[in-house]
Each structure stands twice: as structure tokens, then as C-alpha cells.
Amino acid sequence: MTRYNPAAIEPKWQAYWNDHDTFKTPEGAERPKAYILDMFPYPSGSGLHVGHPEGYTATDIMARYRRARGYDVLHPMGWDAFGLPAEQHAILTGTHPRDTTVQNIETFKRQLKMLGFSYDWSREIDTTSPDYVRWTQWIFLELFKRGLAYQNEVPVNWCPALGTVLANEEVINGLSERGGHPVERVPLRQWVLKITAYADRLLADLDDVEWPNSTRIMQQEWIGRSEGAEVHFQVVGHDASIEVYTTRPDTLFGATFMVLAPEHPLVDAITSDRQRADVTAYVEQAKSKSERDRQASKDKTGVFTGGLAINPVNGAEVPVYIADYVLWGYGTGAIMAVPAHDERDFEFATAHGIPIIEVVSKTGAASGAPLAEAMVEQGIAVNSGKYDGLSTAEFKARITKDLEEAGKGRARVEYKLRDWIFSRQRYWGEPIPIYFPVDTDGDPRVGAEFSIHYDEPMAVDASELPLRLPELDDYKPGKDPAGVLARAADWRFFRKDGRWYARETNTMPQWAGSCWYYLRFIDPRNESEICSRELAERWLPVDLYVGGAEHAVLHLLYARFWHKVLFDAGVVPTNEPFKKLVHQGMILGEGGQKMSKSRGNVVNPDDIVDAFGADSMRVYEMFMGPLEATKPWSTSSIAGVRRFLDRVHTVTARAEASARSDAALTRLLHQTIRKVTDDIEGMRFNTAISAMMVLSNELMKLEQVPTEALEVLAKLLHPFAPHLGEELWGMLGHSPSIQHQAWPEYDPALCEEDEVEVPVQINGKVRARITLPKDATQDQALKAAKSADVVAAQLADKPLRKVIWVPNKILNLIL
């Protein structure tokens, strides 16, 4: 008998699938559709580790299962290939990022094919390819045309030594995380996408998707919609007012000071001569901190400006401070501070000796004594003039109305969500298809002085897309905030109709290509439009989207934003791109820590496949536990899964076409079909595998194994272990491919047990278990119970007072 040999079986079937286009997406629209999508990977130089294929295996099971259930399945794969690692490699080695990317893609693709995933490779896309960049740039021009892409001077973390803008997470105590170089906050011209214009829709449409509740909450909190009031505080001695937004206008009578962000444009105007030196020093100090550091700091530092503002509800003059915990990019860059009812304001007021006035009470009576801490809950108004005694909700509505009538404020909705800073001062990204007029007396390409009119952006004509990156010998960021591309003078400057122009030298972020790739998979070779409307109507939305929870906010939010813009443009027919979302859990290293090169606990799938086979790895990853759970890897545990597949191969070799399933086996077959079917639908893959293990064990016990039973097992196992599934199908005398076979059906009546095991309780404690015909009567149950020695002994000593019988469930005897 031939032994199970994955090293021979798996390459054979991979070649068959490739030669026969087994997984090519069907054309037409007669059958139901299933668009099943992975969050496509960034092709790093290190290739896959065993954690990566977990989600890919889950979607592959669903794709193979849906095909067997009669669906047309779109299951594609591609590469999110722009990004910083390839550029950094280019800086170190001089290798063009494109060359590095191609090599990395070859490694990833080889590994994915090695694992038997049923992707339609004819739809493969790469976000760095000119055909793809063309349409990414086209979407940017749609945003620009609709007023959703604009330029703005934005405070950023600029590192002169690294020559680039750093994210808040990359700045620690005023220094770059990489290299420890000084970082300063400077205003920089940036392209910004107006995602806030879609804030309400992004929030409301979360009701239309089947997403994990935790992800929905994270998106809601990131958007951060709140209702409150805009309030104007007149600045004493100046023809200016400070605008604040507050969700608690009911606390206005307790506002005893104000705080401006150090970058607020009024700081210089309202600062007194006496305070100017301190204010200037504080402003300079704040420039060295990232927004993240400023918000995280527990030290509530600040400086009095010397300026005063008038509280609009009681006319009190309140001091105006600057403090770095207030950010210019959030809200209005100014706050009214109510120390009695805000913990941060309470700490600041205590540190700076500012009055603390209680204006909200839980009981409706002012405490009269100094407050030991801020009371942040809602309550009843006190020390608030004519509003005393009102509940928080009543007070907020009343005072907002009064402020509007007095011209001192208005009701307002605010969001935490900020517009998306889209520029990057890097090389390896999509060029932004914008250019600007240039004033120059000579040729700016060869050193003539020039002036660029950034206030007159012009769109590259769509017929000229894609705008390609220039070839460079040096990819290192420079000290020029205009970015690496500014050094490519022959590319940057060009003449048109007798005038010089300059291309935009910032590039797009890596997010750009991943915002819409699901759409291009639908129609990847279309040269005339981003996607045909007919095919978009056929395949959208994505029915199942699987990826890591680390993308729960930004990737999903940005993709939803672009999708809604394309919906408004008539490109897509649905309001949301992804119907159902599932996050696979993380697979940790053997010691329970996250896999990383530095820990030396990364497990290469090539090694696992060499030792156990791809199907063993696939089944093991699904058997480890619930898909969404975090699980530690254990190479030694794969052996148990491999033994299971060995048993299935062995028992299939014993198939007897003339053998028939008896009643018990028939019942088990139908129960297994029902269990595996229900579990796949619910993506409970570990328990589906358990059910198949039970069936295989029972089949191993038979002297003659019916072919019909093994055919069922092969079909059930195929989505999990596709190479072995194909091999089993051939061993049973069938021609390939098992993927073309219909999913087995079960008869609910045949799933029912003829007998049930029922616990027998005596005075509430289980004393025995009896086997009864299904739906046995109370008399039958009592007779069977009395025949049990333990029950008979109890009944011999004490009279039976009461019998409680729940059919098929329990028998309770009260003695």
C-alpha cells in the first residue's frame, strides 16, 4: 500500500490546478456570487512566517466551500508593494526599490502557491505597476476635482538629519526613534484629503456592515462625533475673540481660565511685554515635542500670556494661558478650562493657583468646601445664576439657545476625526499628479532661480497618466522638505505652451494603493476605466474580508472614504466596500511571545512544509483554536494533525465499492456533514476538523469501509487539505478535480439518534445514567432506572415520593 507522501502529492496537484486554471473566476451572472478577499500583504524581504497564512487558509476554505455549494467565487491575490522598507534597502544597497519588490513578490508567490491557496492568479495586481498607479492617480484627481484634496500648512514632525516628516509614533522625547536625531514641529505644505466631509456617512453606515463589534467601536471612537456648543470669549483690550468648542456648555459659569495651543495665531497678539520672554521660550520648547508626547505627558506645564478674556455668561475676566497639552490641530486649538469638573483642568488650576468654582452638584446643593477632586459626572446646576437647579441636559439646551440669541455662540457638531495628511517626502510611492506654474528668468533645471506658485495647483490630464517616478541614483531623503523628487530637476520642471511648470514632489502614502485594490481585482486588465460598472454591480460588495485587527481603524476608514467618493462619482454601486469582516487572531511564537527576528522565534513555513506537508500546516493552523483567538505555535503539535491525515489516506486505500453503510454509520455521516457544514458557515474550523477526526476514527474500525462514506469524507476534508482531497478523490476512482464536485447534503431526519443517554438524579444528585429509546415514556424511564443497582439500592431503603421526567433530558427521583 502506498503511504501518504505530501512531498509527491502536493506539487502534483499544484501543477494540475495551474495547468487547468481550476480557480479562474467564472464569467456570467447566472449563479450566486461570493467575493472572498484577504488583506493583501506587503512583500517584505523575509517572506512569510507561519502566522501569515492563518487568514489566507481561512479564506481559502471559504472559497473552496462556496464553489462546492454552487457559487461563482472571486478569490484574488496581489501585493501592497510601495513602502518604506524597500526604499530603506535601496538607500543602503543602491538597489532600485522596484528590483527589491520584484524579488520579494517572487518569494511570497512561491510560498502561497506551495500552500495550495486557490487564488485566481490571472487577476494578480501590484500597487507599484504603472497600470495600477495610473488608476490610483486617477482617483486622486477625482478627489481633487471634487474639492476633497487640498493643500494646507500643517504642523509636522520634521527631522532635518533624516530629511523627512516623522509620524507621532516615531518621535520619543523630542528625538527620532531611528537614530535619536532632534525633531522639531514646523509648518509644512502638505496635501490633505477632506475625509471629514464624509464623517457622518462613515459613522452612520457602520450599521450596514457585519463587522466585529470591537472594530465598529474603534471606528466610531476614531471618528468621535460629539454635540456641543461653540462659544466666543472676547479678548480684553483686543478686537478679537477666542473660539472654543465644548460638550459641556452647562459648566460655563465655572470656566476660570483659558488655554491656547502654543501654535495658536492669537498667542503673539495677546501676550503682554512682561510675559513675552516666558511665552516665547515655552513655544520654542513645545516645537521639540510630538503631539503624542504632548498628550501623554503627566506634567501639566503652561505659561500665563498676560492676556485676559471675558466669560460670556457672567462677564468675568479670566486669564489666558498657553499649554502644550492643547493641540492646534484638534478642535479650535483653544479650550475653556473648568477645573471643578475636568480632571486635567483641576490639576492645572491646582498647580497654578487658579480659582476652582463648583457649578455642577450631584445633589443640587453646592458643597461649600474646597473640592478635593474634579466631579466630572452630570448633575444639577449650582452657582450658575438663573440656571441653578437645572439638570445637565436641560442646562445645555437652554444656555446654547441663549448664547445663540446673544450672538456669543451656537450649537455645533464636532469630530475627533481630522483630515488625512496625504503627502510623503519619500521616493518609493505614487507621484501626486499635480503641477504648478513657475516664475523664472532661466532654466530651473540647470540652476536658474525660480518661484513656484503653489497656490495655483493644476491637474495632470487623465490621458497623461500614469505619471511615473523618475530614475534616481540616490534615494536618500535630504534637508529639503520638498522631498526626494525635488532633486530630479529634469523630471520636476517642464515647459508647456511657453511657460515653465514644476511637478509636485511629494508622493502618496502606502495607504493609497490599499484603499481600492478590491475594486481593481474585479476588472484588473481594463485599460479604459478603473472597473466596468457591470462587473462592479456583479461582484460588489466584498462578501468576506479577512485580515489583522491592526488595520481595524486606518486602512478600513480610508478605504471606506475612497469607496464613498467613488460611489458619489457613479463608479461603484454600493455604499460600503466590505460586507463582512473577520479578524484572524495572532499566532505567537513557541514561548507565547510575538514572532520577531530579534527574538529568534520566527517559524518559516518552508521548513514546516518540508517536514510535514502543506496540508498538515493548513489543518494545524485551523485546528489550533478559534480563528479570532491569539494562539501560541507548537511545531511538535503538528505531528498529531499529520497522523490524522495519514489515517485518512490509509483508510481510503481500503475502500470497498460493494460495502454499504449501516444505520449507525449513515447517522454519523449525516451528523458529520451537518456539523462540518454549519461550522464552516460560522468559520468554526477547529470544531469542523474535530468532527472529521471522529468520522475517520470510526471508519478505521470497520473491516469493510464503504466507498460512499469515504467520498463524503474526501469532499468535507478537501477545503482544509486540498492536495490530499484531490488525491483521495483519485484513489476512489474519480477524475479530477474534486473542486468541481457538489458539497454533500445531509438529511436532518437521519441525523437524529435512535437512543439517548439520560442522567438519573436522586434528590437532585446524579447517581446513574441510563440508555433509552428516543422519546421514551416516564414509565419506560423509571423501569430502566430501577434496574440500575445504585438506584435499586436507594429505593430499597426509602419510599419514592415524586418522579420528575423531562423526556430525553433527565429523570429525577425524589425519595
Side-chain angles (χ1 to χ4, degrees), residues 138-359:
W138 181 87
I139 295 173
F140 179 88
L141 294 181
E142 277 293 308
L143 292 159
F144 179 69
K145 180 174 69 177
R146 294 169 178 272
L148 297 170
Y150 64 96
Q151 298 174 91
N152 196 14
E153 290 279 331
V154 178
V156 296
N157 304 312
W158 174 252
C159 179
L162 295 177
T164 191
V165 170
L166 300 178
N168 285 325
E169 293 76 12
E170 298 172 304
V171 181
I172 301 173
N173 296 325
L175 301 176
S176 64
E177 183 180 32
R178 182 164 56 91
H181 303 294
V183 175
E184 56 188 62
R185 295 283 290 176
V186 298
L188 192 64
R189 181 186 65 87
Q190 300 275 282
W191 280 98
V192 183
L193 302 189
K194 200 170 185 180
I195 191 173
T196 53
Y198 283 75
D200 278 328
R201 286 168 63 181
L202 289 167
L203 194 61
D205 293 345
L206 287 171
D207 292 337
D208 300 334
V209 294
E210 301 170 28
W211 288 15
N213 194 48
S214 59
T215 301
R216 288 159 50 96
I217 291 172
M218 289 173 71
Q219 292 240 327
Q220 289 166 351
E221 291 179 347
W222 192 268
I223 296 167
R225 187 182 190 275
S226 63
E227 296 181 2
E230 174 188 302
V231 186
H232 306 140
F233 286 71
Q234 185 67 36
V235 180
V236 175
H238 295 269
D239 185 21
S241 64
I242 299 172
E243 178 186 304
V244 303
Y245 170 79
T246 177
T247 59
R248 293 294 303 273
D250 59 299
T251 63
L252 264 165
F253 282 87
T256 56
F257 66 104
M258 302 191 74
V259 183
L260 305 182
E263 303 87 354
H264 197 291
L266 281 177
V267 169
D268 186 62
I270 69 173
T271 297
S272 67
D273 292 340
R274 183 177 180 180
Q275 294 297 117
R276 190 164 300 279
D278 289 345
V279 169
T280 301
Y282 190 87
V283 169
E284 288 301 312
Q285 183 184 31
K287 288 181 179 179
S288 68
K289 298 181 181 179
S290 71
E291 290 186 356
R292 186 183 185 187
D293 286 342
R294 285 165 61 169
Q295 289 180 301
S297 176
K298 295 182 179 180
D299 297 327
K300 300 299 179 282
T301 63
V303 175
F304 177 44
T305 65
L308 301 171
I310 299 173
N311 188 320
V313 297
N314 58 13
E317 293 185 353
V318 298
V320 182
Y321 285 74
I322 63 168
D324 60 14
Y325 69 81
V326 178
L327 304 178
W328 173 237
Y330 282 97
T332 65
I335 64 168
M336 66 174 213
V338 185
H341 305 291
D342 182 276
E343 292 175 356
R344 186 179 55 186
D345 295 344
F346 184 90
E347 293 175 12
F348 192 96
T350 301
H352 293 270
I354 301 171
I356 299 173
I357 301 174
E358 180 186 21
V359 292

Side-chain angles (χ1 to χ4, degrees), residues 73-89:
V73 172
L74 171 55
H75 188 41
M77 177 50 75
W79 318 104
D80 187 13
F82 276 123
L84 192 55
E87 181 169 333
Q88 289 175 323
H89 184 74

Side-chain angles (χ1 to χ4, degrees), residues 61-78:
I61 291 169
M62 297 305 299
R64 291 174 178 273
Y65 167 73
R66 289 280 178 239
R67 292 189 193 102
R69 295 303 299 263
Y71 284 73
D72 287 343
V73 172
L74 171 55
H75 188 41
M77 177 50 75

Side-chain angles (χ1 to χ4, degrees), residues 33-53:
K33 66 93 177 179
Y35 186 176
I36 298 170
L37 183 64
D38 297 294
M39 292 186 185
F40 67 167
Y42 173 77
S44 65
S46 56
L48 296 174
H49 67 61
V50 292
H52 293 125

